[in-house]
Amino acid sequence: MKGHHQVSQQLLRWGIYFSGLLVMSLGIVLTIKADLGASPWDVFHIGLYKQLGLTIGTWSIIVGFVILGISSIVSKKLPQAGALVNMLTVGIFIDMYMALPFLNTPDFVIGKILMLIIGIVINGYGMGLYISARLGAGPRDSLMIALTEKIKWKIQHIRSSMEIIVLIIGWILGGPVFIGTILYCLVIGNVVGFALPQCTKLADQMMFKIGKTKQRSVSEKQLSH
């Protein structure tokens, strides 16, 4: 029974993880479709797409693969399963949402601003949800953690340095840098900071309920015998 309970918990964890990645990917696409400037990494992916073709989601996967490789070399550890799943599924989900015919850039500036803000909030909650599943960080966060451990800088300095570098390269490649890029950089940390405790509480409650249900079913079977 204990093994069955653990399997149920793992399935729930992966369900929460995939839900978080789906939500986060929708947020990413809304910020791109708002056409007011994307996040630094998306500026980079869009720049590569503009210069070399393929799709934005494909570049997200390729860049993620390269970053995971660098992260593994720096940390001297193999990537976690969650990081590999994150790398593949986020790229697929981005392309899936980008292909939706009804998800278009609004005609008016107010609509674009609303889409951008909603996208940032959804993105933040998606990040909070997938982190709350505790199945490992994504490729970019894995590299950030590996570099922090290696060169002993503060994590916020490492993150800022990485994002400035990819933003500059993405801008040179023709990626969309505008007011939305600045807004994203300023508020995404606060949105995730607000969302993460809520998502973690929800995930923990769901895990606890599964545990209680399993315990109750075991007790009922024992009583019946």
Side-chain angles (χ1 to χ4, degrees), residues 117-195:
I117 292 167
I118 292 166
I120 291 171
V121 171
I122 289 173
N123 190 0
Y125 269 90
M127 289 168 76
L129 201 55
Y130 99 74
I131 291 167
S132 72
R134 300 181 180 93
L135 286 169
R140 290 144 191 85
D141 290 333
S142 296
L143 179 59
M144 180 179 68
I145 292 161
L147 288 171
T148 302
E149 290 171 356
K150 187 78 174 176
I151 62 179
K152 309 299 180 190
W153 283 11
K154 286 185 178 178
I155 201 157
Q156 59 263 42
H157 295 158
I158 295 281
R159 187 186 182 101
S160 298
S161 301
M162 284 170 59
E163 292 190 344
I164 289 165
I165 290 165
V166 297
L167 180 64
I168 291 168
I169 296 168
W171 178 63
I172 291 166
L173 291 171
V177 179
F178 195 47
I179 190 72
T181 310
I182 298 164
L183 184 65
Y184 182 94
C185 293
L186 288 174
V187 305
I188 191 62
N190 291 326
V191 174
V192 176
F194 183 75

Side-chain angles (χ1 to χ4, degrees), residues 35-54:
D35 198 28
L36 289 172
S39 73
W41 283 104
D42 293 320
V43 169
F44 183 46
H45 300 149
I46 295 165
L48 288 166
Y49 156 70
K50 283 186 174 181
Q51 295 300 321
L52 301 170
L54 299 180

